[in-house]
Amino acid sequence: GSDIGKGNLDNDELDFPILLQWNTPIKLLFVNIGPQAEFELSCTAADIDCVDTNSLRWGGVLGAGLNFGKITAELRYNGTWSDISDVSSAKPRTILLVGGGKF
């Protein structure tokens, strides 16, 4: 068999979300949604540097979380709307578990 097209795609990026948060009538629960800008820091495919990738992509965030007073926990889904490059229709997706504290 051929190994062409096989291997890992490792894409490191810095994301800047702009989120709207809705605090539900259940005081413990909140939901957020919004767009985000994604800046590529590095990209390798099958251990070779990616060529012709778009260094700025756009995406969206959908999340839900719990507010425990000064501590929060949130589950987020990040989906990229833009293709990773002009020659690939790959669109990275991420699921995040986010913890936070208020002070």
Side-chain angles (χ1 to χ4, degrees):
S2 173
D3 287 334
I4 296 174
K6 294 183 180 180
N8 291 332
L9 173 66
D10 294 317
N11 184 24
D12 295 324
E13 57 187 40
L14 187 58
D15 298 339
F16 290 96
I18 299 174
L19 301 177
L20 295 175
Q21 181 171 309
W22 177 60
N23 295 313
T24 68
I26 303 169
K27 298 288 185 199
L28 187 67
L29 181 65
F30 63 90
V31 177
N32 56 35
I33 189 169
Q36 77 177 9
E38 304 170 358
F39 296 93
E40 183 179 287
L41 301 175
S42 68
C43 180
T44 56
D47 298 324
I48 300 170
D49 284 339
C50 298
V51 180
D52 299 328
T53 55
N54 298 321
S55 59
L56 171 63
R57 293 182 291 274
W58 297 99
V61 178
L62 178 62
L66 299 172
N67 185 359
F68 301 105
K70 293 193 177 264
I71 297 174
T72 61
E74 181 182 354
L75 187 63
R76 284 186 189 172
Y77 172 80
N78 295 6
T80 303
W81 301 327
S82 309
D83 290 337
I84 199 166
S85 75
D86 294 335
V87 296
S88 172
S89 61
K91 293 180 173 130
R93 294 173 302 279
T94 309
I95 296 175
L96 303 164
L97 180 58
V98 180
K102 299 175 186 175
F103 53 95

